[in-house]
């Protein structure tokens, strides 16, 4: 078990391409951190720098208090689970699990005990003498986890471990990873591009874009108070509606529609307005509202997603099944459910006087 | 696909059987000759049905050879050929797999230069630079030795390319997982990469064994001591003298025995042979 | 040039791993090749005491030498004939094997083994079959009123080495054509069949065009084979005779160097051959690169 500290870390490839810049991240002992972002955002590079598979161009990574920049992966006391499992195809499952322990000179009885324990925990005992080729994707995934577990490392590093599985298996393996990590209490860093996976697994999320951290925070914090338009559109499904609007005192204009904000306007002038699909309600005829021209409807069973246009901007709203559908619908939203972002920087705008998200995020990072 | 054309099917088989016959005929003729006694060739045309002297001819060649043609017993030459083919095959594989490993899994100064130097060997078949190579081997005092027979044939660009191609297809994560598991470069090579290359090594071995066995010009130049004669070059001497005095039955017995080992390798390891052939030429 | 994204950081180990291959390449390939280039610009006096640097004189002399131009012509006739004959027969056999499905494996086995027969042994086999005094084929030919004696008739000698060299190469071409045919997607021939094309039309309009990469590749390989790998065949059947009628470029390098002991001329011929090989190799690799993009 260990804490991990990433300080001012950057990665520049030999061609001069900058993949990661100025990353600061403190991971507490036993914490489950998920790095999430679109492909090319630098999340895997960051993980691989912690693992020792990429050299660190700038800054330091320390594991359990000691700087590990110049240590071989094997000497960092970490274990890694790869996207394509990376099982040694010519070895049996048992040999795969044993290999790392043997290389470290672990005594035979200890090896046997640890393999047996991991096999029991992961329910792969009956496959121990098979070759990886004879296993299904899910079973291979368990073996890959097993290979990490037997090592009893200071930290687990997961590099998109579930993306090669089919959707159903992914959900069940997700639960299993969470359960195992809770039980073992091992510090974990988990990389994924799937925001749902990130939300469900993480103690804290690190949202990355363009090699920089956009936001760090607990899943719900990130969901409810996205620090930027990027986070707002990346986290949550359907993505948060983002529209161009104009604040005039207490009033918000989006296209032809006007809403009264009852004191919730953080600034004035042009802004990007964000609103989650589930926060929109049908308006009574007396209320101020957005006028939605409906274009098409997605039935999800428990609710329906109605897609349409407000003025010339797209908007999606989640409505209960009871509500009757019409060609044009009037929608409203509680002002405190609205998110405002700067048009120029995309950063969140907060109410003057209220606690800014930015500072909470920094506190979170230190916690 | 449903297609019923009996005439075409018949023609197909006819072509194939003719083809197989054409391919087999020269060897059949040689085999028949090897089963007759001396008298069979005096008549002016050789027989087309087997004779009765097969065991006699073969055991004679195997045990004693033809001293009149300056050819030692076949078992000596067969042993030399086997030895040469094995050294060449194993040697080529060993030096190619390590150099491919260096080129793919390391980055170091002059890497590209080293790659091109190996590539050049592909462009210089031994027949083309025969005289200067002979001089180098002679200057090194390697005439009439296994080293002289094999070393100049051992550098192999094709095998290096094959292993390089194969290593590039091994998933990156395998090596990364091994490093996380505490394997250094030599351990990774021995524990992971070598076992993964098994099929490629076997396929290449088949091709290279044949390559080594069928060498003719090089052994012809390098060996003057009959203890180092290989079967393939020895046969040429036999055949030349067989024409002078009718010893066809002996010469053809030797031909049959010289063909047998590599042909058996192709027939019984056909799958590996095809894989080796098709992949080394890519 | 490509490596793995993660690499081992050792500094000395890669050189150790490369050393055996590089040492052998240097000593037995690059050094002799440079020697050949050097002596191709020199003349050795008849007693080997003294060498003079003579620029391109060896080359100009070769290129004006009727014997050399004759062997150049022989090589061209030989290479083209072997390539066409062997590839034609192989394609026919491969198409047939590809048609018969199940027994195809047996036919394949029966067709590929000549690959393992040494060229010089191939030469002996054919030489024996065509032996003017006791050979089977001359006997048959006599029945048709044709007198076969490749020891006298240069054209017959050329025909003999063409037949022998083509026979050996059938197995190789056959395997590559078969592999090429098997990689033609079934859906294409099926689509053509639905469009009403019969077996012959399907072959010439669909399958053969798709085989063109294989055909081109084999073309290069066969020319290479006929030029450089047939030394044993020629040595065992005709030894370049009669009257130089089957003397090819490679055979002449050997004959001039080891039998005639004309170092300068042999070296110049070696250098010309190396240039030919380099051109063929470059063509082949450009083709491989192109094929990778498919």
């Amino acid at each position: 078990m260990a804490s991990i500290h990433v300080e001012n870390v950057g990665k520049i490839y030999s061609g001069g391409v900058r993949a990661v810049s100025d990353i600061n991240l403190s991971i507490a002992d036993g914490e489950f951190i998920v790095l999430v972002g679109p492909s090319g955002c630098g999340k895997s590079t960051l993980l691989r720098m912690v693992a020792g598979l990429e050299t660190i161009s700038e800054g330091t990574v320390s594991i359990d208090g000691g700087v590990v920049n110049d240590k071989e992966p094997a000497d960092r006391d970490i274990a890694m689970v790869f996207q394509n499992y990376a099982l040694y195809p010519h070895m049996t499952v048992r040999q795969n699990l044993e290999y790392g322990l043997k290389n470290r000179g672990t005594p035979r009885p200890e090896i046997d005990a640890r393999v047996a324990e991991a096999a029991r925990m992961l329910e792969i005992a009956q496959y121990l003498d098979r070759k990886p080729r004879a296993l299904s994707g899910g079973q291979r995934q368990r073996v890959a986890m097993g290979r990490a577990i037997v090592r009893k490392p200071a930290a687990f590093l997961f590099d998109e471990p579930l993306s090669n599985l089919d959707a159903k298996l992914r959900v069940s393996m997700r639960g299993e990873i969470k359960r195992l990590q809770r039980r073992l209490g091992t510090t974990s860093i988990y990389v994924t591009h799937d925001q749902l996976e990130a939300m469900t697994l993480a103690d804290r999320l690190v949202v990355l874009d363009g090699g920089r951290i956009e936001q760090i925070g607990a899943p719900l914090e990130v969901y409810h108070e996205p620090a930027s338009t990027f986070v707002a559109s990346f986290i949550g499904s359907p993505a948060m509606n983002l529209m161009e609007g104009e604040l005039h005192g207490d009033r918000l204009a989006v296209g032809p529609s006007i809403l009264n904000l009852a004191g919730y306007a953080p600034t004035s002038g042009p802004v990007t307005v964000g609103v989650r699909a589930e926060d929109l309600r049908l308006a009574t005829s007396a209320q101020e509202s957005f006028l939605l021209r409906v274009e098409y409807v997605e039935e999800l069973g428990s609710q329906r997603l109605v897609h349409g246009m407000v003025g010339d901007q797209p908007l999606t709203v989640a409505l209960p099944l009871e509500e009757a559908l019409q060609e044009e619908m009037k929608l409203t939203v509680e002002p405190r459910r609205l998110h405002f972002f700067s048009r120029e920087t995309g950063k969140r705008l907060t109410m003057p006087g209220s606690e800014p998200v930015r500072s909470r995020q920094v506190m979170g990072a230190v916690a | 696909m449903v297609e019923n054309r009996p005439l075409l099917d018949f023609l197909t088989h006819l072509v194939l059987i003719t083809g197989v016959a054409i391919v087999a005929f020269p060897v059949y003729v040689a085999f028949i000759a090897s089963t007759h006694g001396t008298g069979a060739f005096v008549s002016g045309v050789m027989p087309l049905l087997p004779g009765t002297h097969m065991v006699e001819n073969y055991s004679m060649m195997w045990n004693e050879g033809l001293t009149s043609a300056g050819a030692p017993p076949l078992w000596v030459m067969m042993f030399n050929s086997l030895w040469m083919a094995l050294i060449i095959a194993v040697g080529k594989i060993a030096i190619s797999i390590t150099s491919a490993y260096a080129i793919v899994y390391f980055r170091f100064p002059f890497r590209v230069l080293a790659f091109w130097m190996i590539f050049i060997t592909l462009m210089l078949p031994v027949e083309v630079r025969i005289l200067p190579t002979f001089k180098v081997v002679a200057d090194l005092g390697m005439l009439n030795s296994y080293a002289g027979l094999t070393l100049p044939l051992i550098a192999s660009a094709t095998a290096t390319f094959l292993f390089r191609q194969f290593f590039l297809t091994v998933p990156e994560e395998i090596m990364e997982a091994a490093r996380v598991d505490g394997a250094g470069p030599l351990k990774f090579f021995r524990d992971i990469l070598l076992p993964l290359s098994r099929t490629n090594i076997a396929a290449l071995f088949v091709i290279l064994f044949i390559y080594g066995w069928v060498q003719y010009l090089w052994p012809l130049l390098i060996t003057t001591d009959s203890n180092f004669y290989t079967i393939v070059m020895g046969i040429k001497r036999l055949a030349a003298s067989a024409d002078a005095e009718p010893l066809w039955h002996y010469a053809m017995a030797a031909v049959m025995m010289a063909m047998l080992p590599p042909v058996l390798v192709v027939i019984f390891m056909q799958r590996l042979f095809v894989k080796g052939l098709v992949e080394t030429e890519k | 040039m490509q490596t793995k994204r993660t690499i081992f950081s050792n500094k000395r180990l890669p050189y150790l791993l490369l050393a055996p291959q590089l040492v052998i390449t240097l000593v037995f390939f690059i050094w002799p090749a440079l020697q050949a280039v050097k002596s191709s610009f020199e003349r050795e006096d008849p007693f080997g005491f003294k060498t003079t640097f003579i620029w391109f004189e060896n080359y100009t002399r070769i290129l004006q030498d009727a014997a050399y131009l004759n062997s150049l012509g022989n090589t061209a006739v030989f290479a083209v004939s072997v390539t066409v004959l062997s590839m034609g027969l192989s394609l026919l056999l491969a198409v047939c094997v590809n048609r018969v499905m199940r027994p195809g494996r047996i036919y394949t086995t029966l067709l590929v083994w000549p690959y393992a027969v040494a060229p010089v042994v191939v030469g002996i086999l054919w030489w024996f079959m065509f032996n003017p005094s006791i050979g089977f084929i001359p006997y048959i030919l006599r029945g048709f009123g044709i007198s076969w004696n490749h020891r006298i008739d240069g054209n017959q000698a050329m025909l003999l080495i063409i037949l022998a060299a083509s026979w050996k190469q059938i197995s190789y071409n056959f395997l590559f054509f078969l592999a090429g045919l098997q990689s033609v997607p079934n859906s294409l021939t099926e689509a053509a069949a639905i469009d009403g094309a019969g077996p012959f039309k399907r072959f010439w309009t669909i399958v053969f065009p798709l085989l063109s990469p294989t055909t081109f590749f084999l073309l290069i390989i066969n020319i290479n084979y006929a030029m450089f790998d047939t030394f044993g065949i020629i040595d065992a059947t005709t030894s370049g005779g009669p009257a130089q009628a089957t003397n090819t470029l490679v055979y002449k390098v050997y004959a001039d160097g080891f039998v005639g002991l004309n170092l300068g001329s042999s070296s110049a011929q070696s250098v010309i051959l190396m240039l030919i090989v380099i051109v063929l190799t470059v063509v082949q690799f450009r083709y491989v690169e192109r094929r990778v993009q498919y």
Side-chain angles (χ1 to χ4, degrees), chain C:
Chain C
M1 203 177 55
Q2 223 175 336
T3 47
K4 295 289 179 182
R5 71 178 170 205
T6 341
I7 41 128
F8 289 110
S9 52
N10 307 52
K11 294 277 175 284
R12 283 216 305 269
L13 186 62
Y15 294 106
L16 285 177
L17 292 168
L18 272 171
Q21 174 99 297
L22 287 185
V23 168
I24 287 176
T25 306
L26 272 178
V27 175
F28 296 110
F29 285 75
I30 295 185
W31 177 247
L34 293 179
Q35 287 295 310
V37 172
K38 178 169 166 284
S39 46
S40 73
F41 291 112
E42 290 173 348
R43 177 170 45 218
E44 226 174 25
D45 70 34
F47 307 103
F49 291 135
K50 155 166 137 279
T51 51
T52 353
F53 187 80
I54 53 164
W55 281 107
F56 290 95
E57 208 181 303
N58 284 323
Y59 292 95
T60 48
R61 192 168 321 153
I62 292 173
L63 294 175
Q64 288 161 3
D65 179 5
Y68 187 77
L69 296 177
N70 167 53
S71 79
L72 193 67
N74 288 343
T75 309
V77 170
F78 178 64
V80 170
S81 313
V82 168
T83 304
V84 170
L85 183 60
S86 179
M87 281 178 66
L89 279 175
S90 308
L91 180 58
L92 178 66
L93 292 170
V95 168
C96 289
V97 166
N98 198 40
R99 239 188 84 81
V100 299
M101 303 293 197
R102 214 152 32 85
R105 267 195 76 87
I106 302 163
Y107 282 124
T108 302
T109 308
L110 290 173
L111 287 170
V112 298
W113 59 267
Y115 177 85
V117 181
V120 65
V121 172
V122 172
I124 293 172
L125 290 173
W126 283 79
W127 175 66
F128 181 54
M129 245 185 352
F130 279 86
N131 187 297
S133 48
I134 62 152
F136 176 73
I137 307 280
Y139 176 75
I140 303 283
L141 290 176
R142 268 198 297 280
F144 290 96
I146 302 167
S147 142
W148 179 276
N149 193 344
H150 61 257
R151 288 170 190 173
I152 299 166
D153 187 328
N155 288 333
Q156 290 183 352
M158 178 57 85
L159 186 59
L160 176 61
I161 61 170
I162 290 171
L163 288 176
S166 307
W167 179 84
K168 167 150 173 65
Q169 193 64 358
I170 284 178
S171 52
Y172 187 96
N173 294 335
F174 166 79
L175 274 177
F176 275 84
F177 273 132
L178 187 61
L181 286 169
Q182 283 168 347
S183 68
V184 171
N186 275 337
S187 55
L188 282 182
T189 44
E190 282 163 3
I194 291 168
D195 283 342
F200 290 101
K201 187 152 199 186
R202 282 207 299 272
F203 177 78
W204 288 115
T205 56
I206 309 287
V207 178
F208 189 69
L210 287 173
L211 271 184
S212 63
T214 309
T215 311
F216 180 71
F217 166 79
L218 285 177
L219 215 59
I220 303 286
I221 292 287
N222 277 273
I223 290 171
N224 225 324
Y225 158 80
M227 288 187 71
F228 301 108
D229 293 341
T230 48
F231 176 86
I233 293 178
I234 295 171
D235 196 39
T237 46
T238 64
S239 300
Q244 309 273 322
T246 54
N247 209 358
T248 62
L249 291 175
V250 166
Y251 200 81
K252 196 166 158 47
V253 169
Y254 160 79
D256 289 359
F258 280 89
V259 186
L261 291 175
N262 188 344
L263 185 62
S265 167
S266 172
S267 297
Q269 294 180 35
S270 279
V271 172
I272 294 175
L273 279 178
M274 283 188 229
L275 292 178
I276 296 177
V277 183
I278 288 171
V279 169
L280 285 175
T281 315
V282 168
V283 171
Q284 184 185 337
F285 267 74
R286 292 196 65 141
Y287 152 77
V288 168
E289 271 168 29
R290 216 174 36 145
R291 188 166 65 164
V292 167
Q293 290 170 0
Y294 287 140

